[in-house]
PDB file of all heavy atoms in Angstrom:
ATOM      1  N   GLN A  92     -36.798 -13.894  -7.145  1.00  0.00           N
ATOM      2  CA  GLN A  92     -38.019 -13.229  -6.516  1.00  0.00           C
ATOM      3  C   GLN A  92     -39.005 -12.958  -7.576  1.00  0.00           C
ATOM      4  O   GLN A  92     -38.719 -12.301  -8.530  1.00  0.00           O
ATOM      5  CB  GLN A  92     -37.555 -11.988  -5.796  1.00  0.00           C
ATOM      6  CG  GLN A  92     -36.765 -12.137  -4.580  1.00  0.00           C
ATOM      7  CD  GLN A  92     -36.365 -10.851  -3.934  1.00  0.00           C
ATOM      8  OE1 GLN A  92     -36.193  -9.860  -4.656  1.00  0.00           O
ATOM      9  NE2 GLN A  92     -36.444 -10.749  -2.621  1.00  0.00           N
ATOM     10  N   ASP A 148     -38.406 -18.647  -1.157  1.00  0.00           N
ATOM     11  CA  ASP A 148     -38.495 -17.966   0.148  1.00  0.00           C
ATOM     12  C   ASP A 148     -38.467 -16.551   0.167  1.00  0.00           C
ATOM     13  O   ASP A 148     -38.286 -15.854   1.092  1.00  0.00           O
ATOM     14  CB  ASP A 148     -37.454 -18.577   1.105  1.00  0.00           C
ATOM     15  CG  ASP A 148     -36.031 -18.195   0.668  1.00  0.00           C
ATOM     16  OD1 ASP A 148     -35.843 -17.594  -0.374  1.00  0.00           O
ATOM     17  OD2 ASP A 148     -35.091 -18.538   1.428  1.00  0.00           O
ATOM     18  N   ASN A 149     -38.695 -15.954  -1.158  1.00  0.00           N
ATOM     19  CA  ASN A 149     -38.818 -14.484  -1.388  1.00  0.00           C
ATOM     20  C   ASN A 149     -39.979 -14.145  -2.189  1.00  0.00           C
ATOM     21  O   ASN A 149     -40.020 -14.555  -3.278  1.00  0.00           O
ATOM     22  CB  ASN A 149     -37.491 -14.068  -2.077  1.00  0.00           C
ATOM     23  CG  ASN A 149     -36.287 -14.243  -1.231  1.00  0.00           C
ATOM     24  OD1 ASN A 149     -36.015 -13.728  -0.160  1.00  0.00           O
ATOM     25  ND2 ASN A 149     -35.369 -15.198  -1.769  1.00  0.00           N
ATOM     26  N   GLY A 150     -40.972 -13.486  -1.495  1.00  0.00           N
ATOM     27  CA  GLY A 150     -42.214 -13.041  -2.271  1.00  0.00           C
ATOM     28  C   GLY A 150     -42.116 -11.727  -2.594  1.00  0.00           C
ATOM     29  O   GLY A 150     -41.045 -10.982  -2.533  1.00  0.00           O
ATOM     30  N   LEU A 151     -43.207 -11.121  -3.184  1.00  0.00           N
ATOM     31  CA  LEU A 151     -43.275  -9.787  -3.636  1.00  0.00           C
ATOM     32  C   LEU A 151     -42.946  -8.769  -2.527  1.00  0.00           C
ATOM     33  O   LEU A 151     -42.276  -7.656  -2.711  1.00  0.00           O
ATOM     34  CB  LEU A 151     -44.747  -9.421  -4.159  1.00  0.00           C
ATOM     35  CG  LEU A 151     -44.964  -8.022  -4.597  1.00  0.00           C
ATOM     36  CD1 LEU A 151     -44.005  -7.679  -5.725  1.00  0.00           C
ATOM     37  CD2 LEU A 151     -46.464  -7.912  -5.039  1.00  0.00           C
ATOM     38  N   ASN A 152     -43.440  -9.051  -1.278  1.00  0.00           N
ATOM     39  CA  ASN A 152     -43.302  -8.116  -0.251  1.00  0.00           C
ATOM     40  C   ASN A 152     -41.832  -7.902   0.181  1.00  0.00           C
ATOM     41  O   ASN A 152     -41.322  -6.807   0.436  1.00  0.00           O
ATOM     42  CB  ASN A 152     -44.019  -8.490   1.016  1.00  0.00           C
ATOM     43  CG  ASN A 152     -45.480  -8.413   0.933  1.00  0.00           C
ATOM     44  OD1 ASN A 152     -46.029  -7.622   0.141  1.00  0.00           O
ATOM     45  ND2 ASN A 152     -46.211  -9.247   1.698  1.00  0.00           N
ATOM     46  N   ASN A 153     -41.113  -9.044  -0.019  1.00  0.00           N
ATOM     47  CA  ASN A 153     -39.613  -8.937   0.342  1.00  0.00           C
ATOM     48  C   ASN A 153     -38.850  -8.126  -0.804  1.00  0.00           C
ATOM     49  O   ASN A 153     -37.980  -7.403  -0.503  1.00  0.00           O
ATOM     50  CB  ASN A 153     -39.016 -10.376   0.382  1.00  0.00           C
ATOM     51  CG  ASN A 153     -39.344 -11.153   1.557  1.00  0.00           C
ATOM     52  OD1 ASN A 153     -39.703 -10.509   2.543  1.00  0.00           O
ATOM     53  ND2 ASN A 153     -39.271 -12.453   1.572  1.00  0.00           N
ATOM     54  N   VAL A 154     -39.334  -8.203  -1.999  1.00  0.00           N
ATOM     55  CA  VAL A 154     -38.820  -7.447  -3.005  1.00  0.00           C
ATOM     56  C   VAL A 154     -38.939  -5.918  -2.768  1.00  0.00           C
ATOM     57  O   VAL A 154     -38.014  -5.118  -2.809  1.00  0.00           O
ATOM     58  CB  VAL A 154     -39.366  -7.812  -4.461  1.00  0.00           C
ATOM     59  CG1 VAL A 154     -38.824  -6.834  -5.551  1.00  0.00           C
ATOM     60  CG2 VAL A 154     -39.119  -9.178  -4.861  1.00  0.00           C
ATOM     61  N   VAL A 155     -40.250  -5.557  -2.361  1.00  0.00           N
ATOM     62  CA  VAL A 155     -40.447  -4.173  -2.058  1.00  0.00           C
ATOM     63  C   VAL A 155     -39.677  -3.773  -0.979  1.00  0.00           C
ATOM     64  O   VAL A 155     -39.070  -2.622  -0.870  1.00  0.00           O
ATOM     65  CB  VAL A 155     -41.976  -3.977  -1.878  1.00  0.00           C
ATOM     66  CG1 VAL A 155     -42.198  -2.528  -1.332  1.00  0.00           C
ATOM     67  CG2 VAL A 155     -42.806  -4.387  -3.011  1.00  0.00           C
ATOM     68  N   ASN A 156     -39.598  -4.598   0.154  1.00  0.00           N
ATOM     69  CA  ASN A 156     -38.960  -4.163   1.370  1.00  0.00           C
ATOM     70  C   ASN A 156     -37.375  -3.986   1.140  1.00  0.00           C
ATOM     71  O   ASN A 156     -36.635  -3.165   1.542  1.00  0.00           O
ATOM     72  CB  ASN A 156     -39.034  -5.180   2.422  1.00  0.00           C
ATOM     73  CG  ASN A 156     -40.540  -5.102   3.082  1.00  0.00           C
ATOM     74  OD1 ASN A 156     -41.189  -4.053   3.023  1.00  0.00           O
ATOM     75  ND2 ASN A 156     -40.901  -6.246   3.597  1.00  0.00           N
ATOM     76  N   ASP A 157     -36.846  -4.939   0.272  1.00  0.00           N
ATOM     77  CA  ASP A 157     -35.430  -4.966  -0.070  1.00  0.00           C
ATOM     78  C   ASP A 157     -35.066  -3.614  -0.825  1.00  0.00           C
ATOM     79  O   ASP A 157     -34.092  -2.967  -0.575  1.00  0.00           O
ATOM     80  CB  ASP A 157     -35.025  -6.142  -0.894  1.00  0.00           C
ATOM     81  CG  ASP A 157     -34.971  -7.404  -0.054  1.00  0.00           C
ATOM     82  OD1 ASP A 157     -34.843  -7.282   1.177  1.00  0.00           O
ATOM     83  OD2 ASP A 157     -34.841  -8.521  -0.626  1.00  0.00           O
ATOM     84  N   ASN A 158     -35.938  -3.313  -1.791  1.00  0.00           N
ATOM     85  CA  ASN A 158     -35.758  -2.013  -2.561  1.00  0.00           C
ATOM     86  C   ASN A 158     -35.800  -0.805  -1.649  1.00  0.00           C
ATOM     87  O   ASN A 158     -35.002   0.039  -1.718  1.00  0.00           O
ATOM     88  CB  ASN A 158     -36.787  -1.937  -3.721  1.00  0.00           C
ATOM     89  CG  ASN A 158     -36.525  -3.002  -4.806  1.00  0.00           C
ATOM     90  OD1 ASN A 158     -35.461  -3.508  -4.930  1.00  0.00           O
ATOM     91  ND2 ASN A 158     -37.579  -3.259  -5.572  1.00  0.00           N
TER      92      ASN A 158
END
Side-chain angles (χ1 to χ4, degrees):
Q92 292 183 320
D148 59 359
N149 297 295
L151 177 61
N152 291 334
N153 286 339
V154 176
V155 174
N156 290 335
D157 285 345
N158 288 336

